[in-house]
Amino acid sequence: MKRLLIFLSAIVIIFTSVVAQRRITPVTPSTPSNQTAKKPTSTTDEVDLSRMAHYHDDNGNIVLVDTVTGVEWVDTTAMRRPGYVYPRLNGVTVGVDIWDPVMRALGQKFGGASVMGEVSFHNRFAPVFEFGLSTTKDTPEAMNFTYTSPLAPYFKIGLNYNFLYNNNSDYQLYALARYGFTHFSYSLTDVTVDDAYWGEQVPVDFPARNVTAGYYELGLGVKVKIVGHLSMGWMAKFHGILHQTKSTTGEPMVIPGYGKNKGSITGGFLIMYTFDVNKRP
């Protein structure tokens, strides 16, 4: 009988110990409902979240830590979606597209420069905004006029889709889509016209025309790390005109941010700097 009592007492002690170890600290009214207990190491019934530090666990969740009691809580508002290695907001990138300056150095007669910004979600989707300035002055070979367009702005909005979204964010292969918009003016000068009466060529200038144009871009791009947060990227783009103002002097030869009106292929060369947000540990 004595041995039975000792055995039952031992079972009660072991069971009580196991239950105590597995007990989860309840969420109290002072605790936000979007935070749930994870691995409490204290039996304290209330936790002051203002004293908590945080870290990322192996599953990519943000875990709040009470530095006094040692209790840990998973912040479900910042949990990463299943199938994603990176959190919802994981980076902000700014950059400069130097494609046009490089091409102008090689003899291109139009272009300028642009700056861009993008916000990365799950290292997969990245809305992009671009702003640039462009100018043109060109006398096409074997033609009898000079085409001039003063400095004009252009804007682009769109989206990048990274195919390598669960890999290292410093290296990307992505598809891109853009809508571009610009309002600019152009003029034709030094136009030579044959005078049938005098049998001479007479110079004629056409007044400036204002044009509003919209276009699309579709393509592929790559991004590679140079050093630290600095990276570079290349883009190959197919594009087309969606709409533009009609003119009595014909279509503009060059459209800011687009290039030659009749062209269908262009490119981009980016220098970028990325600010990490909720970077994967």
Side-chain angles (χ1 to χ4, degrees):
M1 184 65 179
K2 184 177 180 180
R3 291 181 178 180
L4 178 61
L5 291 176
I6 294 175
F7 177 75
L8 292 176
S9 299
I11 292 178
V12 170
I13 292 173
I14 293 174
F15 177 79
T16 303
S17 177
V18 171
V19 170
Q21 291 176 2
R22 293 179 57 85
R23 191 178 72 157
I24 295 178
T25 304
V27 178
T28 64
S30 62
T31 303
S33 60
N34 62 355
Q35 293 164 338
T36 56
K38 184 192 176 193
K39 298 184 296 183
T41 56
S42 168
T43 58
T44 304
D45 289 335
E46 293 190 8
V47 177
D48 183 1
L49 297 181
S50 66
R51 296 181 299 181
M52 288 188 174
H54 75 277
Y55 68 92
H56 292 88
D57 65 12
D58 293 336
N59 295 321
N61 301 319
I62 294 180
V63 181
L64 303 174
V65 182
D66 188 316
T67 56
V68 176
T69 65
V71 178
E72 298 180 354
W73 306 73
V74 174
D75 185 355
T76 57
T77 62
M79 290 179 65
R80 299 168 187 171
R81 294 179 58 188
Y84 290 105
V85 171
Y86 289 85
R88 180 179 302 160
L89 176 61
N90 73 281
V92 176
T93 299
V94 295
V96 179
D97 189 343
I98 61 173
W99 173 268
D100 276 348
V102 170
M103 297 303 291
R104 295 202 74 152
L106 297 176
Q108 180 175 281
K109 302 299 184 180
F110 61 87
S114 66
V115 295
M116 55 78 66
E118 67 174 51
V119 180
S120 177
F121 295 97
H122 297 299
N123 192 40
R124 188 176 189 179
F125 305 100
V128 179
F129 174 79
E130 182 178 345
F131 168 76
L133 296 169
S134 179
T135 183
T136 306
K137 186 171 184 180
D138 187 14
T139 302
E141 187 176 352
M143 300 298 288
N144 65 337
F145 64 87
T146 296
Y147 179 95
T148 304
S149 178
L151 195 66
Y154 61 89
F155 307 87
K156 298 180 185 180
I157 57 173
L159 183 73
N160 291 348
Y161 176 85
N162 180 22
F163 296 105
L164 308 178
Y165 57 88
N166 275 346
N167 294 278
N168 190 337
S169 62
D170 293 329
Y171 302 90
Q172 298 182 2
L173 170 64
Y174 59 87
L176 63 91
R178 303 280 191 275
Y179 169 75
F181 176 84
T182 182
H183 179 76
F184 65 102
S185 65
Y186 73 95
S187 60
L188 300 177
T189 59
D190 301 326
V191 180
T192 56
V193 179
D194 292 332
D195 188 322
Y197 182 79
W198 295 104
E200 298 177 351
Q201 289 187 333
V202 180
V204 177
D205 292 342
F206 289 91
R209 305 286 183 177
N210 294 320
V211 177
T212 298
Y215 50 89
Y216 69 88
E217 296 178 341
L218 300 173
L220 292 173
V222 295
K223 174 185 177 182
V224 296
K225 177 180 177 179
I226 301 176
V227 60
H229 294 268
L230 196 64
S231 60
M232 66 173 58
W234 299 266
M235 296 181 292
K237 299 178 287 187
F238 173 84
H239 59 190
I241 302 297
L242 294 174
H243 59 86
Q244 68 179 15
T245 305
K246 293 183 179 181
S247 172
T248 56
T249 56
E251 296 179 343
M253 190 172 71
V254 177
I255 296 176
Y258 181 89
K260 289 189 174 182
N261 199 319
K262 300 300 182 181
S264 59
I265 301 294
T266 187
F269 180 48
L270 298 169
I271 303 297
M272 297 168 283
Y273 188 91
T274 300
F275 300 90
D276 294 324
V277 180
N278 295 324
K279 184 176 179 64
R280 185 183 65 174

